[in-house]
Amino acid sequence: VSLSENSSAQYEDGIDRDLTISKMKSRAEHAIRTGDVYTAQFYYEEIIKRDTQDLADRFKLAEVYRMARNYKKAEEAYGYVYD
């Protein structure tokens, strides 16, 4: 773990876990555009942890699980959205 000048924790994997939801959404969307579904998955999972009622982001997480071929988790996430 290293601390940058603004005291934000950045881990060896390069993912900053102390971002605002807005920043995480932006990074998740960028990750999807560049084909990095696992980074997108991480950010959407973090977003859902902070805002469990956000169905739009839960749907995006389901889509990311599907893209990553994690069909079991995709099914669960889609089920949460559509139930």
Side-chain angles (χ1 to χ4, degrees):
V1 177
S2 65
L3 293 179
S4 64
E5 291 177 11
N6 63 0
S7 297
S8 180
Q10 188 170 10
Y11 296 81
E12 287 93 29
D13 56 11
I15 296 175
D16 188 345
R17 289 168 172 78
D18 296 328
L19 297 173
T20 64
I21 288 177
S22 176
K23 280 267 198 207
M24 282 193 272
K25 287 181 182 185
S26 176
R27 290 193 180 181
E29 290 165 5
H30 179 266
I32 289 172
R33 283 193 306 276
T34 60
D36 187 356
V37 294
Y38 299 105
T39 297
Q41 177 181 321
F42 168 80
Y43 282 119
Y44 281 122
E45 286 174 345
E46 290 297 309
I47 291 165
I48 297 305
K49 286 178 192 174
R50 293 184 189 187
D51 185 2
T52 60
Q53 302 303 310
D54 189 331
L55 295 180
D57 286 324
R58 194 171 292 267
F59 180 82
K60 290 176 186 175
L61 177 60
E63 291 286 288
V64 168
Y65 285 145
R66 183 185 55 78
M67 286 185 255
R69 298 182 179 177
N70 190 338
Y71 301 119
K72 178 71 175 150
K73 284 194 169 191
E75 178 181 22
E76 291 170 8
Y78 284 127
Y80 187 92
V81 171
Y82 289 107
D83 281 346

